[in-house]
């Protein structure tokens, strides 16, 4: 049973960079499309983007120019960087994995518990 | 792909059935339909209920079922139980991922 765990600073200052890491345990990071999804307080789910184990990425156009994802297969981790954050980026950030390997982010079967990141000075 | 449209609220009494719609889904370039549904209780991570329109992951009760007609997907919850009270989200993958705005289901 794969498990995902988000980690990183829970408080980020406006205009700075949000950096989070997702650690995958109980399974390999290979052959899956790993996504980041966020949820602003009281709002719905928002897909940020995905990274494949090869390093191939695709991002939600809403975040393009501000987002970057990376993967480290040696540590079974992948990461999110979101630059120039504002209060609107305050949200619970989740990492997630689909049901099926190598098929794209077709769904989100496994989720981390989420980490609340607050953007505030 | 634009955001998907869900009704903001739905309700039903215990034992009844409720159907939630999700409009705006589309197929990927190969013609496959990747519609999924999630249940989210307050303070918890979403839980996958349905994938690929109508498939249930292991452990999800068969009270939850999915279907699709044209560009609208549906989640039906049969035999409503108190613990079904939650937010429900649809999602579609057709080259990119979009979510619906969510439906708050109340069990009366």
């Amino acid at each position: 049973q794969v498990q995902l765990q988000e980690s990183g600073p829970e408080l980020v200052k406006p205009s700075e960079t949000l950096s989070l890491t997702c650690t995958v345990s109980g399974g390999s990071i290979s052959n899956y499309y790993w996504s980041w999804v966020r949820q602003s307080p009281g709002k719905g789910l928002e897909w940020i983007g995905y990274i494949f184990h090869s390093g191939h990425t695709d991002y939600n156009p809403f975040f393009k120019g501000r987002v970057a994802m990376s993967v480290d297969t040696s540590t079974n981790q992948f990461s999110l960087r979101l630059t120039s954050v504002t209060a609107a980026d305050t949200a619970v950030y989740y990492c997630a994995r689909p049901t099926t390997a190598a098929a794209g982010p077709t769904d989100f079967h496994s989720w981390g518990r989420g980490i609340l990141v607050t953007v505030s000075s | 792909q634009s955001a998907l449209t869900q009704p903001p609220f739905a309700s039903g009494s215990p034992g009844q059935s409720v159907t939630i719609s999700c409009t705006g889904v589309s197929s990927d370039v190969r013609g496959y339909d990747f519609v999924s549904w999630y249940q989210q209780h307050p303070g918890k991570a979403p839980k996958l209920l349905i994938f690929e329109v109508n498939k249930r992951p292991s452990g999800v009760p068969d009270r939850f079922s999915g279907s699709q007609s044209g560009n609208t997907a549906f989640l039906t919850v049969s035999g409503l139980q108190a613990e079904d009270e939650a937010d429900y989200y649809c999602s579609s993958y057709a080259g990119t991922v979009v979510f619906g705005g969510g439906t708050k289901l109340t069990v009366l």
Side-chain angles (χ1 to χ4, degrees):
Chain A
Q1 180 85 348
V2 69
Q3 293 188 323
L4 290 74
Q5 177 69 57
E6 305 87 352
S7 60
E10 297 178 25
L11 180 63
V12 181
K13 289 182 168 52
S15 79
E16 295 192 345
T17 297
L18 179 158
S19 295
L20 296 175
T21 295
C22 182
T23 300
V24 179
S25 58
S28 174
I29 204 166
S30 296
N31 292 322
Y32 283 94
Y33 288 75
W34 302 90
S35 285
W36 289 96
V37 176
R38 77 177 187 180
Q39 186 171 35
S40 300
K43 303 295 186 183
L45 301 171
E46 185 172 33
W47 180 70
I48 301 171
Y50 73 68
I51 186 163
F52 192 53
H53 73 96
S54 62
H56 170 67
T57 56
D58 189 28
Y59 305 133
N60 182 333
F62 178 79
F63 297 99
K64 273 184 178 171
R66 291 205 300 139
V67 65
M69 296 181 186
S70 59
V71 63
D72 185 342
T73 55
S74 66
T75 59
N76 249 26
Q77 295 178 321
F78 62 103
S79 298
L80 168 71
R81 283 172 53 89
L82 188 65
T83 61
S84 305
V85 297
T86 69
D89 295 308
T90 293
V92 175
Y93 287 77
Y94 297 99
C95 53
R97 195 205 82 173
T99 300
T100 305
T106 52
D107 57 64
F108 304 106
H109 177 275
S110 304
W111 295 73
R113 295 178 67 177
I115 182 169
L116 174 61
V117 179
T118 301
V119 179
S120 174
S121 54
Chain B
Q1 196 176 177
S2 303
L4 306 175
T5 302
Q6 298 180 233
F9 304 100
S11 62
S13 299
Q16 288 187 331
S17 292
V18 168
T19 296
I20 299 170
S21 62
C22 172
T23 301
V25 301
S26 54
S27 305
D28 76 349
V29 293
R30 299 163 294 175
Y32 292 126
D33 297 312
F34 294 112
V35 177
S36 51
W37 289 90
Y38 304 86
Q39 177 191 63
Q40 187 179 35
H41 288 107
K44 300 293 188 181
K47 174 187 175 182
L48 179 65
L49 293 177
I50 298 288
F51 67 103
E52 293 179 17
V53 177
N54 56 16
K55 297 178 181 177
R56 275 187 311 275
S58 173
V60 173
D62 59 6
R63 302 188 296 106
F64 295 93
S65 61
S67 61
Q68 181 175 343
S69 177
N71 73 338
T72 300
F74 302 93
L75 172 71
T76 298
V77 186
S78 305
L80 270 176
Q81 299 180 4
E83 59 262 35
D84 298 333
E85 186 160 296
D87 293 326
Y88 291 82
Y89 295 91
C90 62
S91 177
S92 175
Y93 172 67
T96 190
V97 176
V98 288
F99 283 101
T103 299
K104 186 174 189 63
L105 174 61
T106 300
V107 180
L108 302 170

